[in-house]
Amino acid sequence: MKPILLIALMTVALSAQAKLPAPPPMDDAAKAKAEEAKAKAAHAAKVDGFKLCKSMDAAVANYVKTAGAKATKPSDKAPACVDPGPFTGAPAAAPAAAPAKKS
């Protein structure tokens, strides 16, 4: 009974897989929107990294303060936290130059 059920489930699963059609080509507005979303995601990653860096600095400062004499000096080799600033938008692509008209 179990092998028959297993074969039936595999047949249904394999027949249910269909190849999806290719997505239609993106127009300029959709490309711009995708670039904007990509830029926002990259900026959000930078902001998250900055917040993580600041929280690690706070944790180290707290450890040094509470550990007293047994605390080791924090390393100066670690890079400083860099604030990415507010999101300014995706860099605009240069518009295509119009062909020169011949007179």
Side-chain angles (χ1 to χ4, degrees):
M1 176 76 176
K2 286 184 181 181
I4 295 172
L5 181 61
L6 181 62
I7 291 172
L9 286 174
M10 288 177 56
T11 305
V12 169
L14 290 175
S15 65
Q17 293 178 350
K19 185 175 179 183
L20 296 175
M26 294 173 57
D27 60 345
D28 290 338
K31 286 180 185 178
K33 192 172 183 181
E35 287 295 323
E36 180 84 14
K38 192 163 93 172
K40 281 184 181 180
H43 183 264
K46 288 179 185 178
V47 169
D48 290 343
F50 173 69
K51 288 179 181 178
L52 176 64
C53 182
K54 294 302 274 184
S55 67
M56 289 190 300
D57 285 350
V60 168
N62 184 38
Y63 171 74
V64 169
K65 182 176 81 173
T66 58
K70 65 180 180 178
T72 58
K73 183 178 177 238
S75 173
D76 292 335
K77 295 178 183 179
C81 300
V82 179
D83 187 5
F87 180 69
T88 57
K101 292 184 179 181
K102 292 182 182 180
S103 15

